[in-house]
Amino acid sequence: MNTSISKDSPRTRISVSELTKTSLVAAVYVAVTVLFSVISFGAVQLRLSEMFNYLALYNKRYVVAVTVGVILANFMSPTWVLDVPIGGISTFLVLILCRAITKKITNDILKMVITALIFAISMFTVAGQLTILYDLPFWPTWFTVGIGELLSMIVGGITMYLLNKRIDLSK
Amino acid sequence: MMEKMIFGRFMPGDSFVHKLDPRSKLLFVFAFIIIVFLANNPVTYAALFVFTLLVIFVSRIKLYFLINGLKPVIILMAFTFLLHIFFTKEGELLYHWKFISIYEEGLKQGIFISIRFLVLVFMTSILTLTTSPISITDGLEVLLNPFKKLKLPVHELALMMSISLRFIPTLMDETDKIMKAQMARGSDLSTGPIKERVKAVVPLLVPLFVSAFKRAEDLATAMEVRGYRGGEGRTRYRQLKWDSKDTLAILLLVAMTALLITLRS
C-alpha cells in the first residue's frame, strides 16, 4: 500500500538529507552558543557562534540552519518571546541579503568583510528591541551592539576562513 | 555543563499551568507581552505585578528558579534603572548631591521599566519552566499553520527544530569530549592572546562538523527507510488537546486586558 517513496510524493522540494543536515548544523550552532557564551545576551553581545553566519556564503542550506539555530538559542534568553521572532526573522532576511549582495564577488575575504559589516549594521533590530522594551537610547545602543557584533564577526570570520581550508563547507 | 542549558530548565510537574495546552500557553504569553505596554501608571503596573505573582503561584514554581533565570539580564536591568534615574530631568527634585540629582519622574520611570522587565522575564520563564521544548515546538507548528498559505514550510521547520533539540545535548557532549581530547594534546582555549585562542577553536570545530554531518546522513537514511514523506498525512505520537482549562486561561488574560484598559491613564 505504502510503496511510493519520496520521489513521487509532492514534497520533493527539500530532500530528507538536506533536512537532517540543516537540523544538525542548527544543533551545532546552539551547542557552540551555549558552550562558548561569554557575554551573549544584553546590550553587549559577543557570540562566538556569530561565525556561523558566514556559512550561508558557502551553501544555501545554511541560511535555514543558522536561522533555526538562532531561534533555538534565543529560547534561552530570558526575553525570548521577543528575541525568538525578531532574531529569527532578521537573521533569515540578513543572510539572504548577504548572499544576494556577495553573489558576484569572487574574493572570499571581501565576501566575509561585507557580510561582517552587513551584520553589524543589521543590529538595529536588537537595538530597536532594547529601546522599545527598556527605553534605552537607540543610537548608543545600536553602536554598542553593532561594535560587539563586528568584533564577533571579525573573530568568527578568521575562524571560518581557517575552518573552510580544512573541510569543504559548500558540499 | 548541562545546567547551563535553559531547555533543560524545564521542570516537570502537574500544576494547572503545566497541564495547559502549549498552544494556549504560547498565545497567553505572546498576548501578555503586548498588554504589558498598556500599563502607564502605578495602579496598572501594580496590577501587572500582582497578576504575574498569581500566575507564579498557580504554576507552583519555586521563586528561586525564576530569580536564577534573571541572572543573565540583571546587569542590563540595573543599568536601565540607573539610566532612567539619573537622566530623566522632569518632575520634582527629590535628591541632590554634587552632580547627582534624582527627579521624581526619573525614579517613577525607573521603577516602571524595572517592573515591566520583571514581569516579562518571569512570564516567559514560566512558559519555558512548565513546558517541554518539544511541546513548545508542537504548539508553534500548529500556531504557525496559517503561514502555510504563504508557502512557509511550517512542518519542515518544526521538524528541523525537533531534530535539533534532540541533538543539542548529544553535540554538546561531543564538543566537551573533543575539547578534552584536544586539551590532552596541549591545546589551550582559555588563556593566551585572542589570536592563539581562535586558532585553537578550529581543531575543535573540524571534528564537530564532520560528526554532525555523519549523524545527519545516518538520520536521513533511517528516516527514508521508515518511509518519511513529509508532513502530509503524517499521524502524531503526541496529540495536542484544548480543553476548558485553556479557555479559562485565555479568558483570564482577556479580563486582565480589560482591567488594564480601564485603569490606565
Side-chain angles (χ1 to χ4, degrees):
Chain A
M1 189 180 89
N2 209 346
T3 47
S4 62
I5 47 166
S6 51
K7 288 249 161 56
D8 50 38
S9 79
R11 308 206 75 89
T12 42
R13 263 183 321 126
I14 307 170
S15 82
V16 181
S17 83
E18 277 296 297
L19 197 140
T20 53
K21 272 185 193 165
T22 309
S23 319
L24 265 292
V25 172
V28 173
Y29 178 95
V30 181
V32 170
T33 310
V34 174
L35 293 175
F36 300 101
S37 62
V38 197
I39 333 165
S40 270
F41 304 108
V44 183
Q45 308 210 334
L46 239 172
R47 281 186 180 189
L48 181 66
S49 45
E50 288 302 328
M51 68 185 176
F52 282 76
N53 290 330
Y54 295 109
L55 281 176
L57 300 178
Y58 295 105
N59 188 319
K60 208 165 57 190
R61 170 206 313 144
Y62 300 121
V63 173
V64 184
V66 174
T67 308
V68 173
V70 167
I71 289 174
L72 292 176
N74 279 355
F75 263 114
M76 289 181 288
S77 152
T79 49
W80 65 264
V81 180
L82 287 152
D83 296 348
V84 168
I86 296 174
I89 294 169
S90 61
T91 304
F92 183 69
L93 294 178
V94 174
L95 286 175
I96 288 182
L97 184 76
C98 287
R99 271 187 75 86
I101 290 177
T102 58
K103 209 160 109 191
K104 294 216 176 90
I105 300 169
T106 44
N107 185 335
D108 270 7
I109 295 172
L110 188 62
K111 264 188 173 188
M112 288 179 141
V113 171
I114 291 172
T115 310
L117 288 174
I118 294 173
F119 263 91
I121 295 166
S122 79
M123 284 302 117
F124 69 85
T125 52
V126 178
Q129 189 188 328
L130 291 169
T131 309
I132 295 168
L133 266 183
Y134 314 125
D135 278 350
L136 287 176
F138 178 73
W139 297 103
T141 314
W142 186 7
F143 186 74
T144 5
V145 180
I147 292 291
E149 175 74 13
L150 196 60
L151 285 176
S152 313
M153 289 297 276
I154 291 168
V155 173
I158 299 164
T159 321
M160 234 355 126
Y161 186 77
L162 294 172
L163 182 65
N164 190 48
K165 282 188 174 168
R166 305 282 187 82
I167 38 177
D168 185 6
L169 293 165
S170 55
K171 282 200 297 214
Chain B
M1 181 167 300
M2 285 302 152
E3 64 266 27
K4 272 191 185 171
M5 293 277 293
I6 271 197
F7 302 130
R9 262 190 0 151
F10 164 58
M11 306 267 156
D14 61 348
S15 74
F16 179 80
V17 182
H18 280 90
K19 283 185 191 146
L20 287 174
D21 188 288
R23 285 169 296 178
S24 64
K25 276 191 266 193
L26 280 165
L27 279 177
F28 187 97
V29 173
F30 280 117
F32 184 79
I33 304 304
I34 297 168
I35 68 166
V36 162
F37 289 92
L38 284 172
N40 60 357
N41 57 17
V43 192
T44 41
Y45 273 106
L48 275 179
F49 195 66
V50 173
F51 185 68
T52 310
L53 286 181
L54 206 80
V55 176
I56 295 173
F57 178 74
V58 174
S59 69
R60 284 197 238 140
I61 288 169
K62 291 199 184 75
L63 219 56
Y64 162 80
F65 291 112
L66 289 172
I67 291 170
N68 221 13
L70 218 55
K71 265 186 203 155
V73 281
I74 200 87
I75 295 171
L76 183 63
M77 204 173 147
F79 176 72
T80 329
F81 181 70
L82 294 176
L83 203 73
H84 279 280
I85 286 208
F86 294 131
F87 290 98
T88 312
K89 304 246 181 276
E90 277 168 58
E92 219 174 297
L93 184 67
L94 293 178
Y95 180 77
H96 187 80
W97 181 73
K98 288 186 185 166
F99 57 91
I100 297 171
S101 43
I102 294 171
Y103 291 85
E104 195 189 340
E105 204 54 34
L107 187 66
K108 227 164 98 181
Q109 281 307 321
I111 294 172
F112 283 175
I113 299 289
S114 304
I115 293 180
R116 187 194 286 173
F117 209 113
L118 267 181
V119 296
L120 277 178
V121 172
F122 279 174
M123 246 349 161
T124 46
S125 306
I126 290 170
L127 179 57
T128 32
L129 281 166
T130 62
T131 322
S132 68
I134 216 83
S135 1
I136 295 184
T137 317
D138 283 349
L140 278 176
E141 182 177 355
V142 181
L143 291 179
L144 287 175
N145 257 339
F147 289 98
K148 267 190 185 156
K149 291 214 174 78
L150 300 172
K151 301 256 172 188
L152 186 75
V154 176
H155 163 77
E156 279 81 1
L157 272 178
L159 183 67
M160 282 191 272
M161 279 170 72
S162 310
I163 295 176
S164 291
L165 281 172
R166 156 68 184 80
F167 281 99
I168 288 165
T170 319
L171 288 177
M172 277 172 69
D173 274 349
E174 200 138 305
T175 317
D176 197 39
K177 265 187 214 153
I178 299 169
M179 254 159 94
K180 284 188 178 130
Q182 302 293 30
M183 264 152 74
R185 292 180 177 87
S187 134
D188 186 4
L189 273 173
S190 45
T191 53
I194 193 110
K195 205 179 127 210
E196 293 304 310
R197 277 199 248 176
V198 169
K199 271 192 183 159
V201 172
V202 180
L204 212 146
L205 289 174
V206 175
L208 191 62
F209 268 91
V210 171
S211 105
F213 283 132
K214 195 179 169 308
R215 279 177 200 280
E217 300 277 351
D218 289 350
L219 183 65
T221 315
M223 282 167 75
E224 265 168 352
V225 175
R226 283 168 178 77
Y228 171 78
R229 292 186 301 156
E232 300 300 322
R234 189 181 166 209
T235 51
R236 295 188 158 275
Y237 176 61
R238 296 176 302 271
Q239 305 271 355
L240 299 177
K241 219 173 112 244
W242 185 285
D243 64 21
S244 50
K245 282 198 291 294
D246 302 293
T247 317
L248 182 68
I250 298 299
L251 284 178
L252 253 166
L253 192 78
V254 173
M256 184 64 199
T257 313
L259 187 74
L260 284 179
I261 291 174
T262 357
L263 292 177
R264 79 194 291 262
S265 47

